[in-house]
Amino acid sequence: MIGCISWALWHRFTGRNPPIGIAIGVSVSGLILSSTRLWPLLAIAVLATYEIFEPQYPLVAKLAAAMGLAFGALLTASIIRRRGVRPTELLDPRSILWVFVAALAGSLLAAGIVALGTIAAGRPTIFVEKFAQQGLGMILAAPFVLVWATPLRERWSALRWAGFVVTMLLCGIVTTAVFLLPREDPVAWAIFPPLVLAALGWHLRGATTAMAICAVIVLLSTEIATGPFALAAPGNRVLLAQMFVAVTCATIVLLAAHADERHAEDKLRIAARRIEVSRRNLTNMARDAATAVAILDRDMRYVATSQRYVADHRLPEGTALEGRSHFEVFPDCSPERRAMLARVLDGEQLSGYGDPLRHPDGSVDYVRWSHRPWYDEDDRIAGIVLASEIVTAEMEARRKLEEAERRYRAVFEQAGVGVGRLSLQGVFLEVNDRICELTGHPREALIGESCRKTSTAEEWPATMDGIQALARGEVAYYSDDRMVVTHEGALRPVHCTANLVRSGDGTEDYIAVVLQDISPRIAAQRALEESEKLLRLAQEAAGVGVWEIDLVRGGSRHSPQSARLFGLEWHEGEYRMADVADRLGPEQVAELRRAIGSARRVKGPLDMTLRLAMPDGEARWVTLQGRYDPHDGQPRLLGLVIDITHDMEADAQLREVHEKLLRLARLNAMGAMASTLAHELNQPLAAITNYIEACRYLTRSRGEPDHDILDALDHARVQALRAGDIIRKIRSFTVSGEIVQASFDLNAVIYSASAAVRQLKIAQGARIDCDFDPAPANLIGDALQIEQVLSNLIRNGVEATTGRARREVSVTTRVGPEEVVVQIADSGAGLSEAMLDNLFEPFRTTKESGTGLGLPICRTIVEAHGGRLWAENGPGGGAIFSFALPIAETRETAPLHDETY
């Protein structure tokens, strides 16, 4: 409500919407911390604010604003809760990413609803403005509230709190100097050092607080036209500021989450070392104890034992128990004993006197024992201390009687179901506590009474017939679902099982009855039926179609909604592939048949997206999601068809914007460098070419020219021209991102790259082997760029073997049905875990003279050709760099079944 009122006041005094939606961000946090069922309160708060401050605002726009905020916050909170992300888990970077993804989905929904409301009210649409406003509010406010709602992992000292306050003041001062003071130079980057300091020093609490301070100042500067964004056009200032704050927030919060995770790991390692020292001291002390003592950890593994413990339990002399599981040493440990140990791990201290101790040879001793938990330095339970003393001499006389009574009472009284004894006339002779709980009657009110007291009038005749049939020996047992009448008169469903018990001489003695409460099962059945009804209603309302594909006879069946999505006239009969072939096209028809065939072979799911060309000329995107169903020997595919046209259009727009941003980044970052290199290097290369031509001319002018020299000059001229071509193509690629599309032989390109590396000085003494797949590897793309990738990777492999006894580099190709995989393996030292984490990041290098651009450029080239590049360590040592490229289509895939759909 406060957030909504602040928005209304801002709008009243400035005439514009605030650039950040604090209300929706706080609402998401509230729904996560409390319950998503409270979402109607959000809509009520928005409507109340409008009635107070903007009563003349159109009603449809008010409702759209209220529903947009409520549904957007509900969607975001539901996604976060559905993914299992709780406030205490926000310190995990993956959880932070899910919060941002959920915020994006919720802001899209909220902005869409509000935009529809403004259009219905006859006002200009504000989708982009609302999307940026609501999304920014959620990614700023939601993590801030959730992080501060999470208890601190460790108590902060006064000095640490002081440092926190100083850092927040520093962030505010720097941001104020950059954005609020008049200046003409764009120095927005200056706020990043204090933000990084806040993230690394105070993790998520510092990052979210610092971002909240900086966001307020940055967005305020857009209102008064100061700071770096004042240089932009007036219509773009707010949007640019919002994008800047959103990207900065995501980066700083993820950095803080990673820093917190690493900090927690360091603390765990220190604690583990301390525990190990304490454990060694404890082991030495327990080993020399005069009584039977054993110390176990939380996993019930022995940490230390005394020699008396081994002797009392009659274990083989010299048995080493340390590190072994208690249940491995004593596999016959009873469930009661296991439950008792679990209680001790929960903090209880248990002891006993006269309990039996069974030995492997079958003999029994009686012991006085105690089980107590022991604690680590953080006052947490770290395990159990078992102490015992044999008291067989004084307990042997009464053991048999107590053991028999204990077993009987354990089964009878501690059973999780109701257990009782009935006379042959149906009178209660004995009942346990569970029967009393089920019926609501105390024990004394049931003993001596007929079971008719707890039976309904409608079921009593059948119940009595069953008792009499058991008493006469006509049936072996009785089992049925019945209703029990409680003391309050309520009905409780139970499953009743009864059987006749005979005495030692074979005569009928009594009837044993067991009652099991099946209320949860009945409630679950009813809930399932209700859920199925709601699911059917939801499918009809959401426009989701249901389909079935017969994998034996072919053909398919569709629900009315499914037929409508495919543009078909619905009928009860089967549909054939030909009915939708004109909407799918030949390629998608073949792809659909392959997917159906694959699902049939592996008995797995079907998940694919199709583009439908509708008769009216419009394009429609649908997704098919199905699963394999054996169906009594008649296998089929069952699934849903969902219209995702709007999602695909939104993705296409997003990809277009992303591509523009990438192109702009390449132009800004690489354009100048590529142009300079092309300009500066072309002149020396031209001079080299001229000198080579002059040498060739002089050599030919002699009477008997040396042909070896001429061949060497020809090779030098070809390599110089090739270098110039490489420079031009790299500059063209960095500017436009386009590649030459031409067919080439991958094996020939590998030979050329290998030969070029062998001529290098660093390759002297190194062995470069090539192992090609017998199948042809015909690719489409720029052979020169692929050769550059191979040359770079082979040269890296050769450099990795420098100084090693065995210097070998192998290049292997394997041709698959859809792609060819190339592996470059070396005999070097391999890659560390730290190197594998950021190997392909720009400007990351382990070479003294490296630039850190080789591997990123290689990945960019491979991905531009539709492939992928990765690295790993070989099983026998060394590193393996692999990349996969799609092969050219050479033939059509035969259809699976002409009529299967």
Side-chain angles (χ1 to χ4, degrees):
M1 189 67 182
I2 294 175
C4 293
I5 291 175
S6 64
W7 168 86
L9 293 176
W10 180 291
H11 186 271
R12 171 166 292 186
F13 289 112
T14 64
R16 296 187 300 272
N17 285 325
I20 179 172
I22 298 296
I24 194 169
V26 177
S27 300
V28 170
S29 306
L31 293 178
I32 294 175
L33 293 173
S34 57
S35 172
T36 54
R37 298 177 182 177
L38 301 178
W39 67 267
L41 297 179
L42 308 181
I44 295 173
V46 176
L47 292 175
T49 304
Y50 271 112
E51 290 300 321
I52 295 172
F53 293 95
E54 298 287 342
Q56 75 283 357
Y57 204 67
L59 178 60
V60 65
K62 292 179 184 178
L63 293 175
M67 291 300 101
L69 184 140
F71 289 156
L74 176 62
L75 176 60
T76 302
S78 299
I79 293 176
I80 293 174
R81 293 169 71 98
R82 180 65 61 87
R83 295 300 305 176
V85 178
R86 293 181 288 273
T88 55
E89 298 174 342
L90 284 180
L91 305 179
D92 182 7
R94 290 183 294 272
S95 299
I96 290 292
L97 286 175
W98 273 113
V99 171
F100 289 155
V101 171
L104 176 62
S107 57
L108 281 173
L109 178 61
I113 295 175
V114 173
L116 290 176
T118 56
I119 293 174
R123 298 191 173 211
T125 179
I126 53 174
F127 175 80
V128 175
E129 176 185 348
K130 279 295 180 182
F131 170 71
Q133 177 196 50
Q134 307 288 39
L136 189 58
M138 281 194 281
I139 68 175
L140 276 175
F144 178 86
V145 175
L146 293 175
V147 167
W148 281 103
T150 304
L152 287 170
R153 284 182 174 177
E154 56 185 4
R155 186 181 300 277
W156 284 6
S157 63
L159 181 61
R160 185 163 178 79
W161 276 109
F164 175 82
V165 173
V166 170
T167 303
M168 297 303 105
L169 290 175
L170 177 62
C171 292
I173 292 171
V174 173
T175 307
T176 300
V178 172
F179 286 88
L180 293 182
L181 298 181
R183 58 174 58 251
E184 297 180 359
D185 50 340
V187 289
W189 54 266
I191 71 171
F192 280 92
L195 288 177
V196 173
L197 174 62
L200 295 180
W202 286 269
H203 304 158
L204 280 176
R205 282 178 173 80
T208 54
T209 306
M211 277 308 308
I213 295 172
C214 294
V216 171
I217 298 174
V218 171
L219 297 175
L220 178 62
S221 70
T222 61
E223 296 294 335
I224 61 176
T226 63
F229 296 111
L231 303 176
N236 296 331
R237 290 175 184 170
V238 174
L239 183 59
L240 290 175
Q242 290 172 331
M243 293 172 59
F244 175 81
V245 171
V247 173
T248 304
C249 177
T251 304
I252 296 302
V253 171
L254 286 174
L255 175 63
H258 181 71
D260 189 275
E261 189 176 41
R262 294 296 298 273
H263 178 67
E265 292 174 355
D266 293 339
K267 288 192 63 179
L268 286 176
R269 285 194 293 269
I270 294 173
R273 288 196 295 268
R274 292 178 179 175
I275 291 175
E276 183 61 28
V277 172
S278 301
R279 181 175 295 178
R280 286 199 298 267
N281 296 333
L282 192 61
T283 301
N284 295 331
M285 182 180 66
R287 186 178 296 112
D288 300 329
T291 58
V293 177
I295 303 174
L296 297 89
D297 60 15
R298 285 198 63 88
D299 297 327
M300 298 305 295
R301 295 187 178 276
Y302 286 99
V303 177
T305 57
S306 65
Q307 296 178 356
R308 183 64 179 272
Y309 182 86
V310 176
D312 284 357
H313 287 82
R314 298 186 184 181
L315 299 173
E317 185 176 356
T319 300
L321 297 180
E322 284 75 6
R324 297 178 61 185
S325 171
H326 177 73
F327 303 121
E328 176 188 351
V329 178
F330 301 104
D332 297 330
C333 185
S334 64
E336 293 82 3
R337 180 67 63 178
R338 292 174 184 263
M340 187 181 302
L341 295 174
R343 290 167 56 192
V344 176
L345 287 175
D346 290 336
E348 294 189 42
Q349 296 184 6
L350 303 178
S351 61
Y353 180 82
D355 287 354
L357 173 63
R358 300 184 180 277
H359 298 294
D361 59 0
S363 60
V364 178
D365 278 325
Y366 296 91
V367 296
R368 178 189 293 112
W369 58 269
S370 66
H371 295 347
R372 299 175 181 269
W374 61 279
Y375 299 84
D376 59 16
E377 61 181 5
D378 294 327
D379 201 28
R380 294 177 300 185
I381 296 177
I384 302 176
V385 177
L386 306 180
S388 61
E389 180 183 0
I390 295 178
V391 292
T392 304
E394 58 188 90
M395 289 298 302
E396 188 65 27
R398 58 182 181 181
R399 181 193 59 80
K400 294 182 180 179
L401 180 61
E402 292 180 351
E403 180 68 15
E405 181 66 20
R406 186 190 67 81
R407 288 182 179 178
Y408 172 75
R409 286 301 164 190
V411 173
F412 189 82
E413 296 294 347
Q414 300 179 15
V417 295
V419 181
R421 294 191 300 121
L422 297 178
S423 69
L424 300 180
Q425 291 75 35
V427 176
F428 284 110
L429 302 177
E430 189 176 10
V431 295
N432 68 351
D433 291 339
R434 184 58 177 157
I435 284 187
C436 297
E437 294 175 7
L438 290 174
T439 61
H441 293 282
R443 191 187 304 265
E444 57 272 13
L446 291 177
I447 301 300
E449 294 288 339
S450 172
C451 60
R452 183 173 186 174
K453 184 175 184 177
T454 60
S455 180
T456 64
E458 296 79 6
E459 294 180 350
W460 170 245
T463 301
M464 194 61 200
D465 290 343
I467 293 174
Q468 293 175 355
L470 282 172
R472 294 192 296 267
E474 297 176 359
V475 294
Y477 65 92
Y478 173 86
S479 179
D480 198 4
D481 291 342
R482 316 296 289 176
M483 299 299 294
V484 169
V485 181
T486 66
H487 178 67
E488 295 79 10
L491 298 180
R492 173 173 289 172
V494 298
H495 181 75
C496 177
T497 303
N499 63 284
L500 180 65
V501 179
R502 299 179 181 274
S503 60
D505 58 3
T507 60
E508 297 81 1
D509 192 357
Y510 62 89
I511 296 174
V513 61
V514 176
L515 300 181
Q516 183 178 6
D517 187 6
I518 59 173
S519 299
R521 189 188 75 187
I522 299 300
Q525 291 176 348
R526 294 174 179 172
L528 179 60
E529 294 173 357
E530 186 67 21
S531 176
E532 290 177 350
K533 293 179 181 177
L534 293 176
L535 178 60
R536 288 193 294 270
L537 291 175
Q539 289 179 351
E540 294 175 0
V544 177
V546 180
W547 49 263
E548 171 191 345
I549 298 177
D550 192 329
L551 296 178
V552 178
R553 300 187 304 271
S556 63
R557 294 181 179 273
H558 293 264
S559 67
Q561 183 64 20
S562 176
R564 187 191 66 79
L565 290 177
F566 279 99
L568 301 174
E569 188 72 24
W570 183 79
H571 57 80
E572 288 286 352
E574 292 186 346
Y575 293 86
R576 316 302 288 182
M577 183 67 77
D579 297 333
V580 295
D582 57 339
R583 292 163 176 75
L584 295 175
E587 295 182 358
Q588 288 194 123
V589 168
E591 181 182 357
L592 178 57
R593 285 173 171 163
R594 287 195 296 268
I596 295 172
S598 176
R600 181 176 64 179
R601 287 192 302 273
V602 304
K603 300 181 179 179
L606 174 66
D607 190 351
M608 65 183 306
T609 300
L610 299 173
R611 181 182 184 276
L612 304 177
M614 306 308 292
D616 57 3
E618 293 186 359
R620 176 181 296 166
W621 291 87
V622 297
T623 179
L624 301 182
Q625 298 178 0
R627 62 177 177 83
Y628 180 87
D629 181 19
H631 193 52
D632 297 332
Q634 299 293 323
R636 60 181 179 176
L637 289 177
L638 297 175
L640 304 175
V641 55
I642 306 172
D643 188 353
I644 58 170
T645 304
H646 296 298
D647 295 340
M648 296 299 292
E649 291 174 352
D651 289 344
Q653 294 176 359
L654 183 61
R655 286 194 298 271
E656 182 179 357
V657 172
H658 183 64
E659 183 65 26
K660 289 180 180 179
L661 290 176
L662 291 178
R663 188 178 299 112
L664 180 60
R666 285 195 294 268
L667 286 173
N668 291 336
M670 300 296 292
M673 182 179 72
S675 298
T676 301
L677 288 176
H679 177 73
E680 296 297 333
L681 294 180
N682 277 333
Q683 292 181 2
L685 289 174
I688 291 172
T689 305
N690 291 335
Y691 280 123
I692 291 173
E693 289 294 339
C695 290
R696 294 175 69 244
Y697 175 76
L698 293 176
T699 302
R700 290 178 182 274
S701 63
R702 296 178 180 176
E704 294 181 359
D706 191 332
H707 292 285
D708 292 337
I709 294 177
L710 289 174
D711 290 342
L713 291 174
D714 287 339
H715 286 303
R717 176 176 174 273
V718 169
Q719 293 301 319
L721 293 175
R722 178 173 173 268
D725 195 14
I726 290 173
I727 292 173
R728 288 191 298 274
K729 291 198 173 185
I730 288 179
R731 182 177 184 274
S732 173
F733 177 71
T734 57
V735 172
S736 64
E738 298 179 355
I739 59 174
V740 175
Q741 297 291 334
S743 178
F744 64 91
D745 184 3
L746 179 61
N747 296 344
V749 173
I750 295 176
Y751 272 127
S752 178
S754 302
V757 175
R758 289 191 183 99
Q759 297 175 5
L760 299 177
K761 182 178 180 180
I762 195 174
Q764 294 181 1
R767 178 179 176 183
I768 303 175
D769 296 329
C770 296
D771 181 14
F772 296 145
D773 194 295
N778 296 321
L779 305 180
I780 294 179
D782 193 326
L784 189 59
Q785 290 188 7
I786 299 301
E787 184 176 348
Q788 283 303 111
V789 172
L790 287 163
S791 298
N792 195 3
L793 296 179
I794 296 173
R795 183 176 60 192
N796 287 348
V798 171
E799 292 176 351
T801 62
T802 302
R804 302 184 69 85
R806 185 170 61 93
R807 301 188 63 195
E808 296 180 359
V809 177
S810 63
V811 184
T812 306
T813 65
R814 292 296 179 262
V815 179
E818 297 181 355
E819 62 181 12
V820 57
V821 178
V822 182
Q823 288 187 344
I824 297 92
D826 60 64
S827 60
L831 303 171
S832 66
E833 293 296 331
M835 294 171 62
L836 286 172
D837 291 340
N838 54 24
L839 190 62
F840 294 98
E841 294 182 7
F843 308 111
R844 299 274 188 173
T845 181
T846 58
K847 304 177 185 177
E848 295 182 358
S849 60
T851 63
L853 293 174
L855 289 177
I857 291 176
C858 289
R859 171 172 276 188
T860 302
I861 292 175
V862 170
E863 291 179 350
H865 282 76
R868 61 189 190 281
L869 172 63
W870 68 94
E872 59 189 344
N873 285 318
I880 301 176
F881 283 81
S882 307
F883 65 90
L885 295 173
I887 63 176
E889 291 289 340
T890 58
R891 61 183 182 275
E892 292 283 338
T893 302
L896 172 70
H897 193 293
D898 290 342
E899 294 299 329
T900 297
Y901 170 53

